[in-house]
Amino acid sequence: MRSNKINPLFSPILSLSGIGPKLDVLFQRLVGPRLVHLLWHLPYNIIKRKFINNIIEAEINSLITFKVDVIKHKPSYFSSKAPYKISCLCGDTPVTLVFFYARQPYIKTVLPEGESRFISGKLEYFKNTYQITHPSHIVEIDKLNTLKNIEPVYSLTAGLTHNIYIKTIDKILQKIPDLEEWIDEKIINKYFFNDWKNSLLKSHQPTSKDDLMESNIYRKRLAYDELLAHQLAIAIIRNYNQKTKGIKFNQNLNLVFKCINNLPFKLTQSQKKAWKEIFEDLTSPHQMIRLLQGDTGSGKTVIALLSLIHAIDSSYQGVLMAPTSILAQQHFNNLSTILKPLNINILLLTGKDTGNSRLEKLSLIKTGEAQIIIGTHALIQDDVSYHSIGLVVCDESHRFGVFQRLSLTNKGKKPNVLTMSGTPIPRTLALAAYGNIDQSRLTEKPEGRIPINTKSIPISKVNDLINRLTNKIETNEKIYWVCSLVEESEELDLQAATKRFESLNRKFKGKVLLIHGQLKEKEKENVMKKFQNEDYSILVATTVIEVGVDVPLATTMIIENAERFGLSSLHQIRGRIGRNNMPANCILLFKENIGELAKKRIAKMKETNDGFEIAEHDSLLRGEGDRIGKKQSGQPSFLIADLAFDKELLEDARKTVEFISNNDPKLENENGLRLRNLLHLFEKDVAIKTLLAG
Ligand code: ADP
Ligand code: MG
């Protein structure tokens, strides 16, 4: 179905020469499995290499390119850990090339003794000698022109090097086809857009820092493409949904009332209102697609639970999907307790279920014996078939993709969908992410909650803070210590956290735990369990705790390098504490001399606990140029577009889609067919299938 022109971009990254399974895993973790996924991952910086005639002129630690005569190879005979060295001359200055784990025959062929080569790398000075460790480039004399003076820098994942990345993306850039323009002339002229191919090439080959700005027209063109594809896909699926019927639940609420009566608390006004809105959707003949927004701790889970039980009341199955297996397990435990007196069969299905256990569970789901099914994304995989799915609740998920899949899973019998977000999104942004989706908002906390007290302290006073923690350690209260966030490097992230862990553990022996993103899912779960159930007081973490793990006794949150976090992210992290009625404190540690915008973020955090207010303010600051944490802001995330900068593009995309929906809703005329290419490129294939089905 995809055109032959764009098909090659969808080959697996693994199919490229030089990419084996190990690298493939890293690429997959970073961007995804296919060539096209690297195209959407744009550089965030550039490095410049200076061409140097004589090494004496160069600054230590700078990136340089220069010519060497290879004099002598000095392999490391005694230990494989000792470096392999090659003595060279640059003019008449000695310079040593250093390699760890050199591949033997290979290194002799790329740097033969007695010949000259151009070398590029970072200049070091070690024991009175110039040296380059692992030159990034070695080229033959007549191939100097293949060396670039300026290279883009991409954010990477641990284990994936700059060089490999650059080589790979270069190969892919050569495969970009020429495609016929799908953007109308008016828009092209308005923004001075270039064609698609050139925009991609230029975005990946920045030549100055200016090229990295959001205002760069090449990036803008790609951002517009992305927004257009997204809006178009939503419109297509919406149009289709409006034509077909959904599932209608009963009016009578036997089990739901029983459950409400059993709850140990009364619903808040917000919860009642949200439930009423959901109830009306569920009992109407149309498919419900609703977003339930509310701060962490505002009580979304109960609303989800009532909706799920409503499904049972109407003889359907209810499904609750969580983003991680820890959260799925947590929901399962909580809901099992509440559901016990109601005699409802509840089942947990995650990636951990394999073999017979999985088959057994799949069978229970298929026969309908399992009434409420909780799990991860595994729940909407093709091999899971339901007896009568009536409602799907997605927890903490911003992924529109879920709706897309679901619209097709049960054609003709479309389950209701409730998606819950603990990171409130401003209305305009919700529109961008979900189209005109229905929304319910929980704007208050359950009664009796004490607002979290937020303070900021300069990092120079960290020792006072640590001393004050001694009192807390003696109670059964728990403390989170979140370490600085380095978006570009997981390794630096981990280093910071490990250091903090070690210093705290020296003072509070055996009371401190460490959790980070490079642990396996299972290991993370173990750490969380220990923190929750055993005699540990402090959990040092990179931002992995951001997802909604619930530790009721956690009353203190310390965020180190708070100036590096986006506002929504800070709020989200703070939401891990204050989950019962004990007083809770959040402490933001910051470096001296932080910027104006960072100051504003910290001030806002101290001023309010209201997630809706924070979300609006976050969006405002980002519009003022607050670039921090595009990835970590709670906003719907696009690969290229950033709504803080691309609001006008979004509006234009929306208008264009409106025009298309009125004039060529099935994308059949000339431009419509080109737009199908666009949808394919951004993998809105479900929209295309819908188009063909409807
Ligand atoms: P969210 O998912 O919105 O972060 P939860 O649903 O996990 O929040 O609720 C947080 C806590 O508040 C839970 O322990 C829940 O039982 C409790 N809770 C929910 N609603 C109320 C209420 N109306 N009154 C008192 N406690 C409530
Ligand atoms: Mg929750």
Side-chain angles (χ1 to χ4, degrees):
M1 266 225 319
R2 243 186 255 131
S3 79
N4 285 337
K5 275 190 166 177
I6 61 175
N7 244 339
L9 292 179
F10 285 83
S11 310
I13 295 174
L14 192 58
S15 70
L16 290 176
S17 62
I19 307 283
K22 271 191 187 153
L23 281 175
D24 185 49
V25 169
L26 298 176
F27 276 108
Q28 290 211 30
R29 188 191 307 159
L30 184 69
V31 292
R34 299 177 190 285
L35 302 190
V36 70
H37 296 137
L38 268 81
L39 292 180
W40 313 137
H41 186 57
L42 300 185
Y44 73 94
N45 207 347
I46 50 175
I47 42 177
K48 293 188 180 173
R49 301 176 187 281
K50 220 167 154 187
F51 191 88
I52 292 285
N53 282 319
N54 195 325
I55 212 164
I56 302 177
E57 299 161 14
E59 275 172 48
I60 303 302
N61 285 330
S62 65
L63 289 173
I64 54 170
T65 303
F66 59 101
K67 189 176 155 189
V68 295
D69 304 321
V70 182
I71 307 297
K72 191 161 178 47
H73 280 242
K74 297 178 176 166
S76 46
Y77 290 114
F78 303 108
S79 136
S80 65
K81 277 194 186 133
Y84 185 111
K85 294 185 175 180
I86 304 176
S87 304
C88 303
L89 282 175
C90 169
D92 46 18
T93 313
V95 52
T96 308
L97 307 181
V98 180
F99 296 85
F100 292 91
Y101 303 104
R103 278 186 285 146
Q104 274 286 4
Y106 172 75
I107 198 153
K108 286 235 153 121
T109 55
V110 290
L111 288 160
E113 286 174 6
E115 292 196 18
S116 302
R117 291 289 184 270
F118 282 104
I119 299 289
S120 193
K122 189 161 129 193
L123 184 65
E124 295 158 5
Y125 196 69
F126 183 68
K127 291 195 181 158
N128 290 324
T129 323
Y130 289 107
Q131 74 172 32
I132 305 260
T133 310
H134 288 280
S136 57
H137 302 272
I138 301 167
V139 299
E140 291 166 29
I141 297 302
D142 56 347
K143 296 204 177 120
L144 179 61
N145 58 354
T146 63
L147 251 184
K148 287 189 225 143
N149 294 330
I150 298 180
E151 267 178 11
V153 181
Y154 296 85
S155 68
L156 297 172
T157 187
L160 194 58
T161 65
H162 170 78
N163 270 342
I164 289 173
Y165 196 87
I166 297 285
K167 272 190 201 149
T168 312
I169 184 75
D170 277 351
K171 277 186 201 153
I172 297 173
L173 291 178
Q174 284 167 24
K175 294 181 194 267
I176 301 177
D178 285 302
L179 297 177
E180 285 173 287
E181 187 57 75
W182 50 74
I183 303 183
D184 50 280
E185 223 179 305
K186 235 176 73 193
I187 301 277
I188 301 248
N189 292 338
K190 174 175 175 186
Y191 293 101
F192 302 105
F193 280 157
N194 253 251
D195 64 53
W196 175 73
K197 179 175 179 174
N198 201 36
S199 301
L200 264 176
L201 290 174
K202 286 282 186 357
S203 297
H204 282 277
Q205 290 158 350
T207 55
S208 71
K209 294 249 174 187
D210 279 353
D211 288 351
L212 301 165
M213 306 278 281
E214 278 79 6
S215 55
N216 177 316
I217 53 161
Y218 306 114
R219 186 205 70 88
K220 273 218 174 286
R221 144 97 214 207
L222 301 177
Y224 182 77
D225 282 341
E226 185 181 24
L227 292 169
L228 184 63
H230 190 72
Q231 294 286 318
L232 193 56
I234 294 173
I236 290 167
I237 291 166
R238 278 250 137 179
N239 289 343
Y240 177 78
N241 278 349
Q242 272 158 8
K243 278 190 282 174
T244 49
K245 281 204 163 159
I247 291 173
K248 186 176 167 192
F249 285 5
N250 292 338
Q251 296 276 352
N252 70 329
L253 296 175
N254 188 1
L255 293 167
V256 172
F257 281 135
K258 263 194 199 156
C259 174
I260 293 181
N261 287 335
N262 282 350
L263 288 176
F265 48 74
K266 277 211 199 90
L267 296 180
T268 64
Q269 287 307 320
S270 278
Q271 282 172 322
K272 281 185 195 158
K273 181 158 176 278
W275 168 242
K276 187 166 164 279
E277 289 162 351
I278 291 167
F279 175 76
E280 270 165 19
D281 278 0
L282 291 176
T283 49
S284 91
H286 293 289
Q287 179 189 28
M288 170 172 87
I289 295 187
R290 184 171 281 277
L291 177 64
L292 176 62
Q293 294 195 67
D295 256 329
T296 45
S298 59
K300 294 183 293 296
T301 317
V302 184
I303 301 302
L305 179 65
L306 297 180
S307 320
L308 290 166
I309 298 178
H310 192 187
I312 314 296
D313 259 334
S314 311
S315 308
Y316 287 103
Q317 288 170 302
V319 168
L320 173 59
M321 214 164 72
T324 64
S325 59
I326 304 187
L327 286 174
Q329 179 78 47
Q330 190 175 295
H331 278 311
F332 179 77
N333 296 346
N334 291 341
L335 298 195
S336 297
T337 325
I338 303 182
L339 290 176
K340 199 158 219 172
L342 301 180
N343 267 329
I344 293 176
N345 287 326
I346 170 169
L347 178 144
L348 177 70
L349 183 78
T350 65
K352 280 192 237 162
D353 296 298
T354 52
N356 276 342
S357 136
R358 180 175 162 83
L359 289 180
E360 246 162 63
K361 288 187 175 180
L362 290 189
S363 143
L364 290 173
I365 295 173
K366 193 166 184 178
T367 59
E369 242 169 289
Q371 294 170 290
I372 291 183
I373 300 121
I374 298 183
T376 51
H377 265 69
L379 290 178
I380 51 168
Q381 265 151 23
D382 289 333
D383 66 331
V384 187
S385 54
Y386 293 86
H387 182 251
S388 56
I389 185 168
L391 168 75
V392 178
V393 180
C394 315
D395 191 17
E396 307 281 347
S397 159
H398 300 296
R399 298 226 183 127
F400 183 74
V402 174
F403 302 120
Q404 295 190 331
R405 268 196 84 104
L406 286 169
S407 338
L408 280 200
T409 40
N410 292 27
K411 211 183 292 166
K413 255 210 230 160
K414 289 176 304 171
N416 296 297
V417 179
L418 179 68
T419 189
M420 306 196 288
S421 165
T423 316
I425 309 169
R427 278 185 196 277
T428 49
L429 298 184
L431 189 74
Y434 304 107
N436 47 352
I437 192 176
D438 298 311
Q439 295 185 39
S440 295
R441 307 182 143 214
L442 299 183
T443 52
E444 64 197 319
K445 292 267 165 81
E447 222 170 285
R449 293 277 189 275
I450 305 170
I452 300 169
N453 179 21
T454 302
K455 279 183 280 207
S456 61
I457 300 180
I459 189 74
S460 54
K461 299 211 173 124
V462 68
N463 286 329
D464 299 351
L465 172 67
I466 293 174
N467 287 333
R468 268 180 282 144
L469 291 182
T470 314
N471 298 330
K472 290 266 179 219
I473 303 282
E474 281 153 17
T475 68
N476 62 355
E477 291 179 36
K478 309 264 174 184
I479 300 162
Y480 286 112
W481 190 304
V482 173
C483 280
S484 66
L485 173 113
V486 188
E487 265 191 7
E488 284 79 32
S489 159
E490 288 168 18
E491 260 150 308
L492 290 182
D493 239 10
L494 179 56
Q495 269 176 29
T498 309
K499 240 170 110 183
R500 182 52 73 197
F501 165 77
E502 282 165 1
S503 85
L504 287 170
N505 201 40
R506 266 195 298 278
K507 184 159 171 84
F508 306 116
K509 262 239 145 354
K511 294 280 191 180
V512 192
L513 286 164
L514 173 66
I515 191 168
H516 57 82
Q518 283 170 48
L519 291 180
K520 301 218 172 72
E521 190 81 354
K522 179 113 203 156
E523 298 169 320
K524 284 186 208 164
E525 272 172 52
N526 278 338
V527 177
M528 285 315 298
K529 269 192 201 134
K530 276 191 185 166
F531 183 55
Q532 207 157 2
N533 306 325
E534 296 177 25
D535 191 24
Y536 290 95
S537 299
I538 306 181
L539 179 64
V540 177
T542 57
T543 40
V544 286
I545 57 152
E546 228 182 295
V547 276
V549 175
D550 202 359
V551 181
L553 282 171
T555 55
T556 303
M557 171 64 71
I558 296 163
I559 307 179
E560 196 167 341
N561 287 113
E563 74 278 359
R564 289 201 196 148
F565 291 82
L567 194 46
S568 295
S569 210
L570 286 173
H571 180 66
Q572 184 77 8
I573 297 170
R574 177 171 63 180
R576 299 296 117 226
I577 58 167
R579 296 172 84 83
N580 55 22
N581 292 351
M582 289 191 275
N585 290 296
C586 172
I587 294 139
L588 306 174
L589 286 171
F590 62 92
K591 278 220 178 78
E592 326 287 313
N593 305 325
I594 56 173
E596 275 312 303
L597 287 164
K599 272 186 204 154
K600 284 190 188 174
R601 289 196 295 269
I602 290 177
K604 194 74 197 174
M605 283 294 290
K606 292 201 269 191
E607 184 191 311
T608 184
N609 272 301
D610 178 344
F612 288 97
E613 195 181 329
I614 298 250
E616 294 290 348
H617 202 75
D618 189 24
S619 175
L620 204 90
L621 286 185
R622 288 162 50 67
E624 279 181 33
D626 192 359
R627 239 155 262 259
I628 202 155
K630 174 181 165 196
K631 277 186 246 165
Q632 38 150 336
S633 82
Q635 304 183 351
S637 58
F638 291 94
L639 298 162
I640 301 162
D642 183 341
L643 293 177
F645 303 94
D646 299 330
K647 286 213 175 78
E648 197 182 346
L649 291 183
L650 173 67
E651 188 49 30
D652 279 323
R654 211 181 54 75
K655 280 189 205 147
T656 304
V657 167
E658 208 174 274
F659 180 83
I660 297 168
S661 300
N662 290 329
N663 292 284
D664 182 21
K666 308 208 83 190
L667 303 184
E668 283 163 335
N669 69 25
E670 202 184 341
N671 202 52
L673 294 174
R674 294 174 184 174
L675 281 164
R676 289 185 186 204
N677 269 342
L678 173 70
L679 289 174
H680 279 303
L681 282 172
F682 283 99
E683 293 171 276
K684 308 292 183 195
D685 300 41
V686 179
I688 293 187
K689 272 192 212 159
T690 310
L691 204 63
L692 298 177

